[in-house]
Amino acid sequence: MEGPQDELMFSIGTPIGRLDGIFSKHGLKELSLGSKKARSNEVRLLGELSDHRTEQLREYLSVYFSGRDPGMLPLPIDLSGLSDLRKRTYAELSFVGFGATTTYSDLAERLGMPKGARAIGTAVGANPYLLVIPCHRVLSKGKGGRSALGGFGAGLDVKRWLLALEGHMNDISGL
């Protein structure tokens, strides 16, 4: 059984605040917004002095926050303990590339659940892999054909900022 001694906790300062994360022996287990006050590019490890995984993640995030597409994360993601629906949702969501968006209902249709937008919304809302699994790119269907922001666990101000970084300024209602 995996315990805390098998995990590496870390923090990375970014333009949206401090991202806190955990690597297990199987891969990235969590990446979430910690404090909006820490905005340096410093990597702080808890328990170890250095780790190649945090350096790869920091480089990935540096490319992203420079406004360029970093592609897929070059590290494994630890999906252990997640439901099949969440695993399938995150796998599909990982293909929504930089600068692209989708809606909860479109994502549900692609997963063979045409009436499952709420279930998909719940899975997306529980995403423990901020930015790596791009839940900020999932929007609600708005009126008049325009997409609306929907929700976002890290806050709508962060979602607006991330979408603007990716080039969405005028095509989303509420942005």
Side-chain angles (χ1 to χ4, degrees):
M1 184 166 154
E2 192 171 301
Q5 68 277 9
D6 298 319
E7 296 179 340
L8 172 69
M9 298 187 318
F10 62 91
S11 294
I12 300 175
T14 73
I16 61 169
R18 186 186 79 227
L19 297 180
D20 294 330
I22 300 172
F23 277 109
S24 72
K25 64 183 177 183
H26 303 293
L28 182 66
K29 187 173 184 174
E30 182 180 322
L31 187 63
S32 59
L33 187 61
S35 169
K36 293 183 181 180
K37 294 180 181 177
R39 297 182 188 268
S40 72
N41 201 19
E42 170 190 349
V43 175
R44 181 174 52 110
L45 302 177
L46 308 175
E48 288 190 29
L49 295 176
S50 65
D51 187 276
H52 74 280
R53 299 169 298 178
T54 56
E55 274 307 302
Q56 284 184 285
L57 180 60
R58 187 195 60 73
E59 290 171 21
Y60 175 89
L61 293 170
S62 180
V63 170
Y64 177 80
F65 284 115
S66 73
R68 296 175 296 154
D69 182 0
M72 298 289 272
L73 181 69
L75 295 165
I77 296 176
D78 182 351
L79 300 171
S80 62
L82 299 180
S83 69
D84 286 342
L85 176 62
R86 287 177 64 189
K87 288 177 184 176
R88 289 177 46 228
T89 300
Y90 301 157
E92 187 65 34
L93 189 50
S94 69
F95 293 107
V96 179
F98 186 92
T101 59
T102 190
T103 63
Y104 298 102
S105 56
D106 289 342
L107 198 53
E109 291 222 10
R110 288 200 303 270
L111 289 168
M113 301 172 56
K115 297 193 183 285
R118 285 189 191 269
I120 296 304
T122 299
V124 170
N127 177 18
Y129 314 103
L130 184 68
L131 301 175
V132 174
I133 302 294
C135 54
H136 64 281
R137 296 180 187 144
V138 183
L139 308 171
S140 296
K141 283 203 174 181
K143 295 181 181 177
R146 288 184 64 171
S147 296
L149 277 178
F152 192 57
L156 291 180
D157 56 332
V158 173
K159 186 171 187 172
R160 280 185 196 91
W161 193 93
L162 295 172
L163 290 170
L165 176 70
E166 295 186 19
H168 296 281
M169 297 298 287
N170 300 313
D171 57 342
I172 299 168
S173 179
L175 193 62

